């Protein structure tokens, strides 16, 4: 491959300094033409100059020129990038780096010139993405480099980045210096939106009697003191005789800052200034107060050449800027080092990417079946495409899982299966772990935030031989979230808690003395003791309250921490974005992966039989199955003359039967709910006489019951749709469903033409039940087996493979 | 004409972050630009906050003549700040130094002991003695601090952390009484000092909390925004001190001569109707239009030059949202929120009984769970999960804490960003002093509103033929229906409200300031005639 660099930046001054150096080293360079960012950045531009030196086909160049390479890009773009570019220069943007780590096969150079909030690069990547990005960088470290401009910018980084660190000097151009200039320039961007910058400006204004000008991009135009505001354009620094940076805690080397250095403009700075990490307190430009700063500025402004020369000399000494040739040599060295290592590793042994697929709870039913179909489909396509990927299946160690039965098919297909146990990692353990693995910065410049959570111990290497994990639900299997140190994806089936919440009685946290009546019965001593208890246990009481729905928290955290959230429907995607507030770029829609439970012959045979005695209700005991409203609607249906019986099936639904004496509660909430359903049925003769609560059915009986039903009902809400409707359609049986987005999606996706109604409106729903009783034969005729089959699991394996591989990256070059 | 502002607010007032500050700032700017000399009389504890406000609004400090009640803050207030608000710079510095020295000793001890114990034995003894010398006074100081704070906690009825900051503070708390007396004394002092100076011809009092202003010697114009506690007495009954404050408001109005209101409704029904004031002595001056635009309007032309996919205004707003901290939700939910592509309804308001937030919550829950309208609801009032309030209880009892998020105390620029990114502004308030700011704040950045038919909205929006954009505030189903109808027709609603907003927009700070000056001139003339 021709030596080419994809240079990901639109900053004019760095481009003018760096790109010629890269070309000098023998590379062709592509610069992005769509500036995907830019707000608040000075001196950005789009430059086509370097396209002339590029030897890639015109149509590909044209395509790249139209792409926003800073966002999530198309598969075609990745093909072009991987085909033509052996090296990329990335800004320290976690999202961009993550994409390149997943999908790029060349050398990644992370160019770090400081951080707006004064963080180390390690902290920045962790804050914006998480420790798992470092884990992933560690896996491709042979082709990853951390390019830092000065030791100061490297010394506090984590071991991983330090180990991959290569010195690449501060961007520099061969410029004139400004000996005869005297203008005082205050570097103060964004006065309208940055309160701190505004305060500094006001303070400076109040104390500075000499004329000065304000340099810096004003994103929102500053309406006051317009005569002083210069803006952030390059040329405004040309008259600067002294540059002042009061500092906003940033360490980012920006253009005016660098210009001051390479043009020989003396820089006056404070401890908060971005110059401080480099020039330190012993520099003659350092000022410990605004008063000192103003005094020095005035001296220089009034012609103190001695002070000016002293500051400039110190700047040049610290940065070794005395000779331009030193700078160009450093760039050459940089590329020589990279090329040497690349040549050394050219014949290194590649290895497969290992992806762990995990089940964190002993799921039965839908999740288990989906997992099996998911693995089967992925494995089939991996083999078909010859992808260098190895799947590992890890499930929770549970006696209900039988390796020879539950997972027999997976074993036969050659997938390695492991059992895992949950292990909770405390802060101290995670701290040690991150430190030993080389992911902790040597020194924190921001707040030290160590995550805690669950890891999955397979008794071998805690699944760390895997490059990536896919958790088949968003549950970690515990009340703790998954420790976000591994890169992982979660499959989110629904966010049912959003639509069917378990409310908390808030008054529980009111303090005991709010209840005066109760207090009157207590002695003063008792009240005092209770108050003392409340005071001492305040944190815990509040903590319990906050964690009351203990499973929701970890699920949301898992979705937020996940590298990708896989969903199986459009409404699921919307909920992941709206409810869990996950970035839409991280949410990936997969096919529904449903299996057909009947053959075409069975479909045909059953479709002809219209002599039906009942409709079937496929349910369970969860509230979101909407039993109360549905029963009211069914009662109305019988009152209006409905003649079909109703059969309810599903795990534990037999306990809804008013004659059931089952009292051993799963938990109090469910039992109370069950009792309220029983009461409703027992008080209504029509319901009592017509509904059969049959509970869980074996597969054979389930098929039989569906086959013989006139239609199926699904009054539930808020979930990801009911697969029972697809099962029924496979036998030519239509469904009457509650109207909500996920069921609408499922009906369209699987071509099963559900009839929709509002089960919360008993009158409307009962009318619809009557209609279904009268018209189900016509509805059956609309069902088409071939259409249902169109999106079945067997026919969407490729779609699944593409969705997963385009996000996780199945062809990333990994070495043994 | 020389104008004086009289501000008697307590030490808790923060002008910079509240609408009140922006309102005052706008008037001061308007008056000074017209060449009117302005005096500002305030308690000394407001000095810092006012200076911050002046900086934020870019008003030169020397443009105004300040009159304070005294040079230093009252002793009681200083003690309170030291003990309760913990404004003790010296203490934290001392403790930090002590910790640093002790830490250094321990580290050095550990290092040297691993090399050679015997060699450094005299040094260890010396270090040990030194640490004892430093440690013992620290323990004694901490002990004293603990005892004093215990005594003070009992004195102000703070017996449980659960009640910290709660509205259900002990009614008879001696602490609150002390606070009340302190504020009154300071306002009286301020009136005395102001009377001694010939600094203005007319005093404008922007609130009616201080009956003492009627002792001011010049013409006094009192602003009556509303008497909301009187109308919603039942709802405010559980707010400590509300009856005392209301009584002060009533006394102030009763003793006053000249009044300004924000709406005709308050003028007629409250000042003239309830207090029997002369109609010619009460003038309604409508609000300034609060535009959000100046806070987030960027140079979008530059985005075009760079082929940037998103417009800069939207990008800036998203950046601002990212920095917000949500304290209303469980802590885990507040981390790593991604606001991009999140759709939400927005209501910027404090949590007060008459703001009718429960109705909004009811409608929202119905839309989310029964109508499958997939949006969030963002608020700006204080919703603290550690403290009981009806709004907080509703949110948590109904499992809405992940969808109803409140961002309190946000700066004006972030507030503008919240308006910009919202799908729809909803204002369910039953009662306001004037036409709600929310419509202009939203429309100025392209977000239309649906509004409750409160008296002031009826007075304006309804008259302007915008009935379809309003709802019955006592009927959550009507509110839900309006949101459901307008959400997918956002642009249509914007277009509908635009002509009305364009009229509102004309009420710039300069125009409003001139209206005030005209009103002041009128009152001065009236006063001289009456005299």
């Amino acid at each position: 491959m021709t030596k080419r660099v994809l240079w990901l930046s639109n900053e004019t001054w760095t481009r003018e300094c760096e790109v010629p150096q890269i070309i000098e080293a023998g590379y062709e360079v592509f610069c992005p033409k769509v500036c995907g960012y830019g707000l608040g950045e000075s001196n950005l531009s789009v430059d086509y100059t370097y396209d002339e030196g590029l030897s890639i086909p015109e149509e590909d160049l044209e395509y790249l020129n139209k792409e926003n390479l800073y966002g999530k890009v198309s598969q075609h773009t990745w093909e072009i990038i991987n085909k033509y570019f052996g090296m990329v220069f990335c800004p320290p943007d976690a999202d961009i780096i993550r994409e390149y780590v997943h999908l790029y096969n060349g050398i990644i150079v992370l160019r770090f010139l400081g951080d707006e909030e004064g963080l180390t690069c390690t902290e920045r990547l962790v804050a914006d993405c998480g420790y798992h990005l470092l884990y992933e960088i560690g896996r491709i470290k042979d082709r990853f480099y951390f390019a830092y401009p000065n030791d100061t910018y490297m010394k506090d980084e984590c071991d991983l980045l330090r180990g991959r660190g290569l010195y690449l000097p501060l961007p520099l151009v061969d410029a004139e210096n400004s000996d005869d200039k005297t203008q005082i320039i205050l570097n103060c961007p964004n006065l309208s939106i940055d309160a701190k910058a505004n305060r500094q400006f006001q303070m400076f204004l109040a104390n500075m009697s000499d004329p000065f000008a304000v340099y810096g991009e004003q994103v929102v135009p500053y309406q006051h003191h317009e005569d002083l505001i210069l803006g952030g354009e390059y040329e405004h620094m040309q008259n600067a005789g002294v540059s002042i940076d009061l500092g906003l805690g940033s360490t980012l080397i920006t253009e005016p800052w660098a210009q001051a250095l390479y043009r020989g403009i003396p820089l006056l700075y404070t401890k908060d200034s971005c110059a401080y990490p480099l020039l330190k307190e012993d520099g003659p430009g350092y000022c410990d107060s605004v008063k000192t700063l103003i005094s020095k500025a005035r001296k220089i402004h009034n012609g103190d050449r001695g002070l000016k020369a002293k500051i400039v000399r110190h700047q040049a000494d610290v940065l070794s800027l005395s000779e331009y040739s030193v700078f160009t040599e450093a760039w050459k060295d940089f590329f020589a080092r990279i090329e040497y290592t690349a040549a050394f590793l050219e014949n290194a042994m590649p290895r497969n990417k290992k992806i762990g697929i995990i089940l964190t709870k002993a799921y039965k039913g839908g999740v288990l079946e989906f997992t099996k179909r998911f693995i089967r489909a992925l494995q089939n396509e991996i083999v078909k495409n010859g992808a260098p990927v190895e799947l590992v299946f890890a499930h929770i160690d549970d006696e209900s899982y039988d390796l020879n039965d539950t997972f027999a098919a997976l074993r036969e297909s050659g997938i390695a299966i492991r059992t895992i146990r949950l292990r909770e990692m405390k802060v101290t353990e995670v701290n040690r772990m991150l430190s030993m693995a080389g992911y902790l910065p040597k020194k924190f410049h921001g707040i030290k935030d160590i995550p805690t959570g669950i890891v999955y111990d397979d008794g071998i290497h805690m699944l760390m031989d895997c490059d990536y994990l896919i958790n088949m639900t968003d549950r970690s299997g515990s009340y703790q979230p998954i420790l976000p140190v591994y890169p992982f994806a979660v499959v989110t089936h629904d966010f049912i808690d959003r639509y069917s919440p378990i409310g908390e009685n808030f008054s529980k946290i009111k303090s005991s003395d709010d209840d005066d009546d109760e207090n009157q019965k207590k002695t003063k001593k008792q009240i005092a003791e209770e108050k003392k208890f409340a005071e001492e246990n305040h944190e815990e009481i509040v903590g319990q309250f906050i964690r009351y729905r203990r499973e929701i928290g970890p699920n949301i955290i898992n979705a937020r921490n996940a590298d990708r959230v896989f969903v199986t429907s459009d409404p699921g995607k919307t909920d992941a974005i709206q409810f869990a507030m996950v970035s839409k770029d991280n949410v990936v829609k997969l096919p529904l992966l449903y299996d057909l439970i009947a053959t075409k012959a069975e479909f045909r045979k059953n479709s002809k039989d219209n002599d039906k005695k009942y409709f079937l209700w496929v349910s369970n005991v969860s509230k979101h199955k909407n039993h109360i409203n549905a029963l009211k609607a069914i009662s109305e249906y019988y009152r209006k003359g409905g003649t079909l019986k109703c059969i309810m099936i599903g795990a534990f639904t037999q306990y809804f039967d008013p004659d059931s004496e089952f009292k051993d509660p799963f938990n109090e909430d469910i039992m109370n709910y069950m009792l309220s359903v029983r009461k409703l049925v027992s008080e209504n003769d029509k319901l009592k006489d017509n509904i059969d609560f049959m509970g869980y059915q074996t597969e054979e009986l389930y098929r039989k019951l569906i086959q013989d039903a006139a239609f199926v009902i699904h009054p539930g809400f808020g979930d990801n749709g009911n697969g029972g409707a697809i099962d029924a359609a496979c036998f030519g049986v239509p469904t009457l469903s509650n109207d909500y987005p996920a069921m609408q999606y499922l009906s369209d996706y699987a071509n099963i033409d559900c009839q929709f109604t509002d089960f919360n409106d008993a009158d409307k729903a009962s009318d619809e039940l009557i209609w279904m009783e009268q018209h189900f034969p016509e509805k059956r005729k609309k069902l088409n087996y071939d259409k249902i089959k169109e999106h079945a699991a067997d026919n969407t394996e490729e779609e699944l493979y593409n969705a997963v591989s385009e996000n996780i990256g199945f062809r990333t070059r990994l070495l043994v | 004409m020389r104008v004086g502002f009289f501000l008697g607010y307590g030490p808790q007032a923060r002008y910079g972050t509240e609408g009140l500050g922006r309102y005052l700032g706008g008037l001061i700017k308007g008056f000074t630009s017209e060449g009117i000399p302005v005096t500002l009389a305030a308690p000394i504890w407001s000095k810092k906050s006012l200076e911050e406000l002046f900086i934020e609004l870019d008003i030169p400090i020397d443009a105004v003549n300040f009159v304070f009640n005294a040079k230093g803050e009252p002793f009681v207030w200083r003690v309170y700040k030291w003990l309760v608000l913990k404004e003790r710079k010296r203490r934290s510095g001392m403790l930090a130094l002590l910790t640093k020295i002790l830490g250094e000793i321990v580290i050095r001890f550990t290092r040297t002991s691993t090399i050679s114990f015997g060699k450094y034995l005299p040094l260890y003894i010396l270090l040990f003695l030194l640490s004892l010398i430093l440690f013992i006074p620290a323990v004694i100081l901490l002990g004293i601090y603990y005892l004093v704070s215990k005594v003070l906690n009992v004195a102000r009825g703070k017996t449980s952390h659960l009640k910290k900051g709660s509205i259900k503070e002990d009614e008879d708390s001696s602490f609150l009484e002390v606070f009340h007396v302190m504020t009154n004394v300071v306002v009286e002092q301020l009136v005395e000092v102001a009377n001694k100076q010939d600094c203005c011809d007319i005093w404008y009092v922007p609130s009616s909390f201080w009956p003492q202003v009627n002792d001011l010697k010049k013409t006094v114009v009192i602003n009556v925004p509303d008497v909301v506690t009187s109308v919603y007495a039942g709802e405010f009954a559980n707010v400590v001190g509300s009856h005392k404050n209301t009584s002060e408001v009533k006394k102030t109005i009763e003793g006053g001569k000249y009044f300004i209101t924000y709406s005709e409704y308050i003028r007629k029904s409250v000042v003239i109707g309830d207090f029997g004031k002369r109609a010619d002595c009460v003038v309604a001056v409508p609000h300034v239009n609060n535009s959000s635009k100046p806070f987030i309007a960027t140079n979008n032309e530059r985005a075009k030059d760079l082929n940037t996919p998103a417009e800069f205004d939207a990008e800036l707003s998203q950046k601002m949202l990212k920095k917000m901290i949500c304290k209303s939700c469980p802590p885990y939910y507040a981390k790593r929120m991604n606001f991009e592509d999140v759709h939400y309804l927005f209501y910027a308001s404090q949590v007060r009984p008459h703001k009718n937030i429960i109705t909004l919550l009811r409608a929202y829950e119905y839309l989310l769970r029964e109508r499958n309208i997939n949006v969030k609801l963002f608020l700006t009032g204080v919703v603290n999960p550690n403290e009981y309030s009806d709004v907080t209880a509703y949110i948590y009892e109904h499992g809405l804490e992940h969808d109803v998020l409140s961002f309190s105390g946000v700066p004006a620029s972030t507030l503008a960003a919240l308006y910009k990114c919202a799908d729809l502004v909803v204002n369910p308030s039953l009662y306001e002093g004037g036409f709600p700011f929310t419509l202009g704040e939203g429309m100025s950045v392209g977000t239309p509103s649906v509004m409750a038919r409160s008296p002031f909205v009826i007075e304006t929006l309804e008259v302007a033929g915008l009935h379809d954009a309003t709802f019955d505030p006592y009927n959550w189903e009507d509110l839900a229906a309006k949101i459901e109808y307008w959400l997918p027709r956002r642009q249509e609603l914007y277009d509908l409200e635009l002509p009305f907003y364009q009229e509102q927009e004309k009420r710039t700070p300069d125009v409003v300031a001139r209206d005030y000056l005209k009103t002041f001139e009128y009152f001065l003339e009236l006063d001289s005639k009456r005299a």
Side-chain angles (χ1 to χ4, degrees), chain B residues 492-509:
Chain B
E492 199 185 317
L493 181 60
Y494 177 82
D495 294 341
L496 187 72
E497 289 177 347
L498 190 59
F500 175 81
Y501 173 66
Q502 282 167 338
E503 281 305 306
Q504 290 277 108
E505 208 179 9
K506 290 177 185 163
R507 287 202 64 74
T508 59

Side-chain angles (χ1 to χ4, degrees), chain A residues 33-35 39 129 202 217 220-221 224 498 503-504 506 535 542 548-549 560 575 578-579 581 583, chain B residues 58 159 294 297 302 306-308 316 333 335-336 338 342-343 369 374 376 386 388 396-397 401 403:
Chain A
K33 310 306 182 301
V34 177
C35 184
L39 191 72
C129 190
Q202 297 288 350
E217 176 82 2
V220 174
H224 320 284
R498 187 182 199 203
E504 175 73 3
F506 196 91
E535 202 166 313
V542 172
Y548 69 96
R549 269 169 254 146
R560 294 237 182 108
D575 272 346
Q578 280 289 129
F579 179 65
M581 296 179 86
S583 161
Chain B
D58 203 31
T159 49
R302 234 184 119 225
L306 297 170
N307 304 324
T308 304
L316 172 69
Y333 194 76
K335 286 184 182 175
R336 300 172 72 104
N338 180 71
V342 168
H343 295 275
R369 299 210 169 118
N374 208 329
K376 284 180 127 66
N386 295 342
Y388 183 85
Y396 277 82
E397 284 177 4
E401 69 277 19
D403 278 308

Side-chain angles (χ1 to χ4, degrees), chain A residues 33-39 41 43-46 68 126-130 193 198-199 202 217 219-222 224-225 498-499 501 503-507 509-511 513 531 534-535 538 542 545-546 548-549 552-553 556-557 560-561 574-575 577-579 581-584 739-741 760, chain B residues 29 55-58 150 159-163 168 294-299 302 305-309 312 315-316 319-320 330-343 364 368-370 372 374-376 378 384-389 392-393 396-399 401-403 405 413:
Chain A
K33 310 306 182 301
V34 177
C35 184
Y37 66 107
L39 191 72
E41 308 276 347
N43 201 20
L44 296 175
S45 60
V46 168
N68 173 15
V126 170
D128 291 349
C129 190
I193 53 173
N198 196 320
R199 270 199 298 278
Q202 297 288 350
E217 176 82 2
V219 173
V220 174
Y222 192 58
H224 320 284
H225 304 284
R498 187 182 199 203
Y499 300 98
E504 175 73 3
N505 187 358
F506 196 91
S507 54
I509 70 148
K510 283 192 203 175
S511 72
D513 54 1
K531 279 180 178 172
E535 202 166 313
H538 167 68
V542 172
F545 170 66
I546 293 299
Y548 69 96
R549 269 169 254 146
I552 304 174
I556 292 171
I557 299 170
R560 294 237 182 108
N561 285 342
T574 310
D575 272 346
I577 296 165
Q578 280 289 129
F579 179 65
M581 296 179 86
V582 175
S583 161
K584 82 169 177 198
D739 190 0
Y740 62 102
N760 297 334
Chain B
K29 264 181 155 177
I55 286 178
E56 192 180 316
L57 298 180
D58 203 31
K150 269 280 168 193
T159 49
S160 162
H161 287 161
L162 287 174
K163 295 172 71 182
K168 290 180 187 294
F295 296 101
I296 52 163
T298 61
N299 182 1
R302 234 184 119 225
D305 295 343
L306 297 170
N307 304 324
T308 304
F312 273 10
E315 199 185 328
L316 172 69
K319 265 194 168 184
M320 287 177 174
Y332 61 78
Y333 194 76
K335 286 184 182 175
R336 300 172 72 104
M337 283 177 169
N338 180 71
F339 288 93
E340 266 175 72
D341 309 299
V342 168
H343 295 275
Y364 172 73
L368 176 73
R369 299 210 169 118
E370 300 205 23
N372 300 306
N374 208 329
V375 288
K376 284 180 127 66
F378 287 1
N384 183 348
N386 295 342
E387 285 168 15
Y388 183 85
S389 80
T392 314
Y396 277 82
E397 284 177 4
H398 291 249
E401 69 277 19
H402 302 114
D403 278 308
L405 305 177
S413 50

Side-chain angles (χ1 to χ4, degrees), chain A residues 176-182 237-242 260 263-266 308 312:
Chain A
E176 294 171 35
N177 69 27
S178 63
D179 266 355
D180 54 337
K181 311 280 169 47
T182 55
M237 285 298 282
Q238 281 170 1
N239 291 324
V242 55
R263 281 181 190 277
I265 301 168
K308 186 173 180 176
V312 171

Side-chain angles (χ1 to χ4, degrees), chain A residues 706-753:
Chain A
I706 283 188
Q707 230 169 308
D708 293 343
F711 57 92
V712 165
I713 63 163
H714 172 55
F717 60 89
D719 55 20
N720 198 34
N722 188 327
I726 301 175
D727 293 343
C730 291
F731 281 108
V733 177
T735 293
L736 174 65
S737 169
N738 196 20
D739 190 0
Y740 62 102
M743 262 321 268
Q744 286 276 8
Y745 177 85
L746 183 137
S747 174
D748 291 346
Y749 183 84
N751 296 308
I752 57 170
D753 190 35

